Amino acid sequence: MKPLIGDSTEWACAQVTLAFFYALDMRRYGEVAALMAPDGIWLRQGAELRGPEGVLAALDARPVSRTTCHIISNLRVELNNEAKPPSARVCFYLTAYDNDAVQGSPALRLVAIRDCCDELIKTEAGWRISEKRSRRHLPPE
């Protein structure tokens, strides 16, 4: 049986997804945006964010008091080295929590468990997200 993440290319692709959510939770929005391809699309909360600029603008609009925690599980990487440029798909479950201190509760709130897929392309700068989509897994949409 092939290991889940068997070579450095698969690991590099997985790291893009992991780095994305770590930077998001740490409020490093410039790092989040830099992981998007120049024409990348993130379907987020019903809106289509385009490119690093669109992602950065949307994240900069988040309330300063909001904190998040994104936990990734069941990570799978599929490479397509035949594509030009090479591409990959990183699929995973995402358990998302948030907290808004302004609302008065210090507790984290489970937002949802989502079934996610990031489409990546190889660029001169490394692997970047060309498309980021998800759907609610639990509770179902």
Side-chain angles (χ1 to χ4, degrees):
M1 185 163 135
K2 181 181 172 196
L4 175 64
I5 298 179
D7 69 26
S8 61
T9 302
E10 290 168 321
W11 178 244
C13 292
Q15 284 298 302
V16 171
T17 294
L18 296 171
F20 183 96
F21 287 106
Y22 179 78
L24 180 63
D25 290 341
M26 296 297 112
R27 302 184 66 86
R28 296 179 186 166
Y29 298 147
E31 292 176 28
V32 173
L35 292 170
M36 297 297 296
D39 58 351
I41 298 170
W42 180 12
L43 184 59
R44 176 181 176 260
Q45 300 173 351
E48 204 171 83
L49 309 179
R50 292 192 170 269
E53 300 81 11
V55 168
L56 188 57
L59 295 179
D60 280 343
R62 292 175 92 190
V64 176
S65 60
R66 184 173 185 226
T67 56
T68 58
C69 178
H70 294 85
I71 300 171
I72 296 169
S73 62
N74 297 34
L75 187 76
R76 306 163 317 282
V77 179
E78 302 168 11
L79 298 176
N80 183 356
N81 291 317
E82 312 303 315
K84 299 293 179 210
S87 64
R89 176 178 289 154
V90 180
C91 297
F92 52 97
Y93 286 143
L94 178 68
T95 305
Y97 296 90
D98 77 355
N99 171 285
D100 192 333
V102 173
Q103 298 293 328
S105 173
L108 285 178
R109 173 181 70 101
L110 174 63
V111 176
I113 299 173
R114 301 192 67 81
D115 186 7
C116 307
C117 272
D118 291 350
E119 301 287 340
L120 278 60
I121 57 167
K122 181 83 180 254
T123 71
E124 290 182 11
W127 288 95
R128 295 295 181 261
I129 300 167
S130 60
E131 187 174 310
K132 184 171 208 45
R133 295 188 179 272
S134 68
R135 65 175 183 80
R136 185 181 295 271
H137 182 66
L138 290 173
E141 289 181 301

